[in-house]
mmCIF file of all heavy atoms in Angstrom:
data_model
loop_
_atom_site.group_PDB
_atom_site.id
_atom_site.type_symbol
_atom_site.label_atom_id
_atom_site.label_comp_id
_atom_site.label_asym_id
_atom_site.label_seq_id
_atom_site.Cartn_x
_atom_site.Cartn_y
_atom_site.Cartn_z
ATOM 1 N N GLU D 2 39.739 -30.524 -6.701
ATOM 2 C CA GLU D 2 38.581 -30.670 -7.587
ATOM 3 C C GLU D 2 37.323 -30.997 -6.793
ATOM 4 O O GLU D 2 36.243 -30.462 -7.068
ATOM 5 C CB GLU D 2 38.859 -31.765 -8.619
ATOM 6 C CG GLU D 2 39.881 -31.377 -9.669
ATOM 7 C CD GLU D 2 40.279 -32.561 -10.532
ATOM 8 O OE1 GLU D 2 39.688 -33.657 -10.353
ATOM 9 O OE2 GLU D 2 41.178 -32.408 -11.371
ATOM 10 N N LEU D 3 37.429 -31.877 -5.806
ATOM 11 C CA LEU D 3 36.272 -32.210 -4.981
ATOM 12 C C LEU D 3 35.787 -30.983 -4.221
ATOM 13 O O LEU D 3 34.577 -30.722 -4.149
ATOM 14 C CB LEU D 3 36.646 -33.336 -4.017
ATOM 15 C CG LEU D 3 35.564 -33.755 -3.011
ATOM 16 C CD1 LEU D 3 34.297 -34.205 -3.726
ATOM 17 C CD2 LEU D 3 36.089 -34.851 -2.094
ATOM 18 N N ASP D 4 36.717 -30.222 -3.675
ATOM 19 C CA ASP D 4 36.353 -28.987 -2.974
ATOM 20 C C ASP D 4 35.641 -28.028 -3.916
ATOM 21 O O ASP D 4 34.603 -27.443 -3.572
ATOM 22 C CB ASP D 4 37.617 -28.353 -2.400
ATOM 23 C CG ASP D 4 37.318 -27.155 -1.516
ATOM 24 O OD1 ASP D 4 36.813 -26.149 -2.032
ATOM 25 O OD2 ASP D 4 37.610 -27.222 -0.307
ATOM 26 N N SER D 5 36.183 -27.867 -5.126
ATOM 27 C CA SER D 5 35.586 -26.945 -6.096
ATOM 28 C C SER D 5 34.199 -27.417 -6.526
ATOM 29 O O SER D 5 33.261 -26.613 -6.626
ATOM 30 C CB SER D 5 36.506 -26.809 -7.305
ATOM 31 O OG SER D 5 35.932 -26.002 -8.303
ATOM 32 N N ASP D 6 34.047 -28.707 -6.796
ATOM 33 C CA ASP D 6 32.753 -29.220 -7.245
ATOM 34 C C ASP D 6 31.679 -29.023 -6.184
ATOM 35 O O ASP D 6 30.549 -28.617 -6.496
ATOM 36 C CB ASP D 6 32.877 -30.706 -7.596
ATOM 37 C CG ASP D 6 33.695 -30.945 -8.852
ATOM 38 O OD1 ASP D 6 33.843 -29.997 -9.640
ATOM 39 O OD2 ASP D 6 34.200 -32.076 -9.024
ATOM 40 N N LEU D 7 32.006 -29.293 -4.945
ATOM 41 C CA LEU D 7 31.026 -29.106 -3.874
ATOM 42 C C LEU D 7 30.730 -27.626 -3.643
ATOM 43 O O LEU D 7 29.573 -27.233 -3.440
ATOM 44 C CB LEU D 7 31.543 -29.748 -2.584
ATOM 45 C CG LEU D 7 31.576 -31.282 -2.562
ATOM 46 C CD1 LEU D 7 32.400 -31.790 -1.393
ATOM 47 C CD2 LEU D 7 30.159 -31.846 -2.502
ATOM 48 N N SER D 8 31.762 -26.776 -3.690
ATOM 49 C CA SER D 8 31.572 -25.338 -3.478
ATOM 50 C C SER D 8 30.734 -24.715 -4.576
ATOM 51 O O SER D 8 29.937 -23.795 -4.320
ATOM 52 C CB SER D 8 32.930 -24.638 -3.385
ATOM 53 O OG SER D 8 33.696 -25.119 -2.301
ATOM 54 N N ASN D 9 30.897 -25.192 -5.820
ATOM 55 C CA ASN D 9 30.175 -24.618 -6.954
ATOM 56 C C ASN D 9 28.809 -25.239 -7.174
ATOM 57 O O ASN D 9 28.090 -24.852 -8.103
ATOM 58 C CB ASN D 9 31.008 -24.767 -8.228
ATOM 59 C CG ASN D 9 32.286 -23.952 -8.191
ATOM 60 O OD1 ASN D 9 32.343 -22.915 -7.538
ATOM 61 N ND2 ASN D 9 33.321 -24.414 -8.875
ATOM 62 N N SER D 10 28.438 -26.206 -6.347
ATOM 63 C CA SER D 10 27.160 -26.889 -6.531
ATOM 64 C C SER D 10 25.972 -25.990 -6.219
ATOM 65 O O SER D 10 24.864 -26.231 -6.706
ATOM 66 C CB SER D 10 27.103 -28.133 -5.643
ATOM 67 O OG SER D 10 27.043 -27.761 -4.262
ATOM 68 N N GLY D 11 26.187 -24.962 -5.390
ATOM 69 C CA GLY D 11 25.090 -24.107 -4.977
ATOM 70 C C GLY D 11 24.355 -24.615 -3.753
ATOM 71 O O GLY D 11 23.407 -23.972 -3.290
ATOM 72 N N TYR D 12 24.786 -25.767 -3.190
ATOM 73 C CA TYR D 12 24.106 -26.342 -2.039
ATOM 74 C C TYR D 12 24.693 -25.899 -0.697
ATOM 75 O O TYR D 12 24.009 -25.977 0.321
ATOM 76 C CB TYR D 12 24.188 -27.872 -2.101
ATOM 77 C CG TYR D 12 23.455 -28.514 -3.253
ATOM 78 C CD1 TYR D 12 24.016 -29.579 -3.944
ATOM 79 C CD2 TYR D 12 22.191 -28.078 -3.648
ATOM 80 C CE1 TYR D 12 23.358 -30.193 -4.995
ATOM 81 C CE2 TYR D 12 21.527 -28.676 -4.704
ATOM 82 C CZ TYR D 12 22.113 -29.741 -5.378
ATOM 83 O OH TYR D 12 21.445 -30.332 -6.412
ATOM 84 N N PHE D 13 25.941 -25.461 -0.680
ATOM 85 C CA PHE D 13 26.650 -25.328 0.582
ATOM 86 C C PHE D 13 27.189 -23.915 0.798
ATOM 87 O O PHE D 13 27.671 -23.276 -0.132
ATOM 88 C CB PHE D 13 27.808 -26.331 0.650
ATOM 89 C CG PHE D 13 27.383 -27.741 0.346
ATOM 90 C CD1 PHE D 13 27.732 -28.344 -0.854
ATOM 91 C CD2 PHE D 13 26.598 -28.441 1.251
ATOM 92 C CE1 PHE D 13 27.317 -29.627 -1.142
ATOM 93 C CE2 PHE D 13 26.183 -29.728 0.971
ATOM 94 C CZ PHE D 13 26.536 -30.329 -0.232
ATOM 95 N N ALA D 14 27.125 -23.485 2.054
ATOM 96 C CA ALA D 14 27.715 -22.203 2.439
ATOM 97 C C ALA D 14 29.190 -22.361 2.756
ATOM 98 O O ALA D 14 29.960 -21.408 2.632
ATOM 99 C CB ALA D 14 26.978 -21.630 3.645
ATOM 100 N N SER D 15 29.599 -23.547 3.192
ATOM 101 C CA SER D 15 30.991 -23.786 3.561
ATOM 102 C C SER D 15 31.356 -25.221 3.198
ATOM 103 O O SER D 15 30.575 -26.144 3.448
ATOM 104 C CB SER D 15 31.203 -23.532 5.053
ATOM 105 O OG SER D 15 32.488 -23.945 5.468
ATOM 106 N N VAL D 16 32.552 -25.383 2.624
ATOM 107 C CA VAL D 16 33.076 -26.705 2.273
ATOM 108 C C VAL D 16 34.526 -26.775 2.732
ATOM 109 O O VAL D 16 35.336 -25.910 2.378
ATOM 110 C CB VAL D 16 32.998 -26.971 0.752
ATOM 111 C CG1 VAL D 16 33.645 -28.317 0.409
ATOM 112 C CG2 VAL D 16 31.560 -26.921 0.264
ATOM 113 N N ILE D 17 34.845 -27.766 3.524
ATOM 114 C CA ILE D 17 36.227 -27.987 3.955
ATOM 115 C C ILE D 17 36.579 -29.443 3.657
ATOM 116 O O ILE D 17 35.961 -30.366 4.207
ATOM 117 C CB ILE D 17 36.415 -27.694 5.460
ATOM 118 C CG1 ILE D 17 36.052 -26.239 5.762
ATOM 119 C CG2 ILE D 17 37.852 -27.990 5.881
ATOM 120 C CD1 ILE D 17 36.104 -25.903 7.250
ATOM 121 N N VAL D 18 37.546 -29.640 2.763
ATOM 122 C CA VAL D 18 38.003 -30.979 2.409
ATOM 123 C C VAL D 18 39.432 -31.133 2.913
ATOM 124 O O VAL D 18 40.303 -30.321 2.586
ATOM 125 C CB VAL D 18 37.950 -31.210 0.894
ATOM 126 C CG1 VAL D 18 38.379 -32.636 0.557
ATOM 127 C CG2 VAL D 18 36.545 -30.944 0.359
ATOM 128 N N SER D 19 39.674 -32.139 3.709
ATOM 129 C CA SER D 19 41.017 -32.356 4.256
ATOM 130 C C SER D 19 41.451 -33.791 4.006
ATOM 131 O O SER D 19 40.635 -34.718 4.032
ATOM 132 C CB SER D 19 41.053 -32.042 5.758
ATOM 133 O OG SER D 19 40.208 -32.926 6.474
ATOM 134 N N ALA D 20 42.754 -33.952 3.777
ATOM 135 C CA ALA D 20 43.369 -35.269 3.598
ATOM 136 C C ALA D 20 44.727 -35.209 4.273
ATOM 137 O O ALA D 20 45.687 -34.659 3.712
ATOM 138 C CB ALA D 20 43.497 -35.611 2.121
ATOM 139 N N GLN D 21 44.815 -35.741 5.490
ATOM 140 C CA GLN D 21 46.021 -35.653 6.300
ATOM 141 C C GLN D 21 46.836 -36.935 6.161
ATOM 142 O O GLN D 21 46.345 -38.018 6.501
ATOM 143 C CB GLN D 21 45.662 -35.407 7.770
ATOM 144 C CG GLN D 21 44.806 -34.169 7.995
ATOM 145 C CD GLN D 21 45.528 -32.892 7.614
ATOM 146 O OE1 GLN D 21 46.744 -32.781 7.761
ATOM 147 N NE2 GLN D 21 44.765 -31.916 7.117
ATOM 148 N N SER D 22 48.063 -36.795 5.689
ATOM 149 C CA SER D 22 48.914 -37.975 5.526
ATOM 150 C C SER D 22 49.227 -38.627 6.867
ATOM 151 O O SER D 22 49.475 -39.840 6.928
ATOM 152 C CB SER D 22 50.207 -37.594 4.802
ATOM 153 O OG SER D 22 50.937 -36.627 5.556
ATOM 154 N N GLU D 23 49.222 -37.851 7.955
ATOM 155 C CA GLU D 23 49.502 -38.407 9.273
ATOM 156 C C GLU D 23 48.437 -39.408 9.709
ATOM 157 O O GLU D 23 48.684 -40.253 10.585
ATOM 158 C CB GLU D 23 49.597 -37.291 10.320
ATOM 159 C CG GLU D 23 50.721 -36.285 10.077
ATOM 160 C CD GLU D 23 50.326 -35.200 9.090
ATOM 161 O OE1 GLU D 23 49.167 -35.236 8.590
ATOM 162 O OE2 GLU D 23 51.166 -34.329 8.796
ATOM 163 N N GLU D 24 47.237 -39.324 9.109
ATOM 164 C CA GLU D 24 46.151 -40.226 9.471
ATOM 165 C C GLU D 24 46.080 -41.443 8.557
ATOM 166 O O GLU D 24 45.131 -42.240 8.653
ATOM 167 C CB GLU D 24 44.828 -39.472 9.439
ATOM 168 C CG GLU D 24 44.791 -38.279 10.402
ATOM 169 C CD GLU D 24 43.503 -37.473 10.275
ATOM 170 O OE1 GLU D 24 42.631 -37.886 9.497
ATOM 171 O OE2 GLU D 24 43.377 -36.435 10.967
ATOM 172 N N ALA D 25 47.062 -41.584 7.668
ATOM 173 C CA ALA D 25 47.029 -42.691 6.722
ATOM 174 C C ALA D 25 47.248 -44.026 7.431
ATOM 175 O O ALA D 25 48.003 -44.134 8.406
ATOM 176 C CB ALA D 25 48.107 -42.489 5.654
#
């Protein structure tokens, strides 16, 4: 949802959202 909201905002050419469990 966060990726979609930022991508559909019209502000950005590229959006990459990552959440790595190994970094928890």
